[in-house]
Amino acid sequence: MKPARFRYARPGTLDEALGLLADHADDGKLLAGGQSLVPMMNFRLAAPAVIVDIGAVRELHGIEEEGGTVVVRAGTRQRAVETSATVGVACPVVPAALAHVGHLQIRVRGTFGGSLAHADPAAELAAVALALDAELVVRSVRGERRIAATEFFVGPYMTTLELDEILTEVRMPVHTGRAWSFQEVARRRGDFALAGVCAVARNGSVALACFGAASTPRRLPAAESAVAEELVPETIDVAAEAAAAEIDPISDVHADERLRRRLVGELVRRTLTEVLNGRDSDSR
Ligand SMILES: Cc1cc2nc3c(=O)[nH]c(=O)nc-3n(C[C@H](O)[C@H](O)[C@H](O)COP(=O)(O)OP(=O)(O)OC[C@H]3O[C@@H](n4cnc5c(N)ncnc54)[C@H](O)[C@@H]3O)c2cc1C
């Protein structure tokens, strides 16, 4: 199918883009990599009257490290983040997760911020942002605000972004030298995950986030509490059970609620075991 008719704007600066979005908050949509928006428009699930293409906005591109934080600007292509030496050293869980996002062709076009703003419940990057306690910087003509990743995802394809706001950058704490693990189960490589878990060790605790299993990516506080005092095989078993119990899984043609609950429990067990073994690991 073809999309409904729309007008197209390609601003060159962030201020221009913010102005256009403010003028069209009700009937406009940002276009980043187009890997989710364009299929939705072709299926007529979205029919914006105005498209604001942010591909040429230079302020939205680039990666840098500043004082213990990796800053990825929202319009940076997923593949550029995946292959960035800075990100690979400072936040190794990020490229590991990106390797599971669709296929190479998708990641070459798709953007880091677009994935978070789209808020697919099965998005790998959402779980990574949650487990890393990332901070999301958003701008509108009204000013700038910072949103904790844990406050950002509120439902399937729903975030706390206002209609006139642009996600401009994602700020992630450096976790070099800390154990982490990223695992997912998908029917075929490149498919959206039936369930996945991201685990990142902190000072004496482990942050756990799951995706694909419930209506929104989420942290697993009960499972995290189970290993807060001690990370040993016995507490890992308790955490796996707690995770399976605390999620509210979705049921669809790909997997029912029972399977997703079991997958989350098992993936928590596997990721925590890898963290216990001190490995920097992913399931590639
Ligand atoms: C075949 C296929 C397989 C895929 N598999 C996976 C997968 O396994 N895992 C996964 O996570 N994703 C997957 N994707 C989605 C892919 O990662 C997309 O790139 C991503 O979801 C959206 O990023 P984008 O830059 O393409 O955004 P777009 O499609 O351009 O935009 C998506 C939405 O986000 C909004 N938006 C974009 N950028 C911003 C911004 N800076 N500020 C505010 N709002 C913004 C847009 O207005 C739109 O509503 C797949 C896509 C395809 C086509």
Side-chain angles (χ1 to χ4, degrees):
M1 278 183 70
K2 295 285 169 232
R5 287 177 74 85
F6 59 86
R7 279 180 289 141
Y8 176 84
R10 190 170 164 86
T13 67
L14 183 56
D15 281 343
E16 241 185 287
L18 290 169
L20 281 162
L21 195 58
D23 291 344
H24 296 283
D26 294 333
D27 63 350
K29 268 270 174 220
L30 292 179
L31 175 76
Q35 298 303 295
S36 296
L37 181 60
V38 171
M40 287 177 70
M41 289 171 65
N42 285 343
F43 285 118
R44 306 279 173 118
L45 294 170
V50 180
I51 287 290
V52 179
D53 181 348
I54 51 174
V57 176
R58 232 183 264 145
E59 296 105 303
L60 292 177
H61 293 271
I63 297 166
E64 62 213 37
E65 192 185 330
E66 48 181 55
T69 301
V70 171
V71 181
V72 176
R73 299 202 198 287
T76 312
R77 307 285 174 188
Q78 293 163 4
R79 181 64 178 164
V81 182
E82 185 183 353
T83 54
S84 154
T86 302
V87 178
V89 171
C91 288
V93 71
V94 174
L98 273 166
H100 294 273
V101 174
H103 306 278
L104 177 62
Q105 293 83 347
I106 309 285
R107 303 195 295 272
V108 166
R109 296 291 315 162
T111 65
F112 200 76
S115 172
L116 295 172
H118 186 58
D120 190 307
E124 284 83 358
L125 292 181
V128 168
L130 286 169
L132 286 178
D133 270 331
E135 189 177 50
L136 310 183
V137 182
V138 307
R139 286 268 306 272
S140 71
V141 289
R142 292 169 289 116
E144 179 183 293
R145 63 188 183 111
R146 293 180 175 218
I147 311 170
T150 47
E151 305 291 319
F152 190 69
F153 305 102
V154 289
Y157 308 101
M158 282 188 284
T159 69
T160 47
L161 270 177
E162 300 289 343
L163 289 173
D164 64 344
E165 284 180 325
I166 298 182
L167 172 61
T168 56
E169 60 185 47
V170 183
R171 303 177 67 86
M172 298 173 289
V174 169
H175 68 97
T176 313
R178 296 202 172 167
W180 56 272
S181 176
F182 186 94
Q183 303 226 2
E184 72 173 49
V185 174
R187 296 258 177 228
R188 294 167 306 187
R189 178 123 198 120
D191 281 3
F192 278 101
L194 300 179
V197 170
C198 177
V200 181
R202 311 268 178 87
N203 282 331
S205 66
V206 183
L208 287 164
C210 82
F211 61 100
S215 60
T216 180
R218 52 163 293 180
R219 287 279 287 268
L220 298 167
E224 289 178 1
S225 300
V227 290
E229 299 265 302
E230 206 181 5
L231 183 64
V232 292
E234 294 72 25
T235 58
I236 289 176
D237 285 344
V238 177
E241 277 179 34
E246 73 181 306
I247 61 158
D248 190 8
I250 48 169
S251 223
D252 58 23
V253 290
H254 304 295
D256 66 12
E257 197 179 309
R258 213 160 58 100
L259 175 57
R260 283 200 160 93
R261 214 181 271 288
R262 285 187 60 190
L263 288 175
V264 168
E266 183 54 29
L267 290 171
V268 164
R269 184 191 315 282
R270 291 183 189 183
T271 51
L272 285 176
T273 302
E274 289 191 333
V275 168
L276 172 64
N277 293 336
R279 282 176 46 203
D280 282 3
S281 55
D282 71 89
S283 58
R284 271 180 285 178

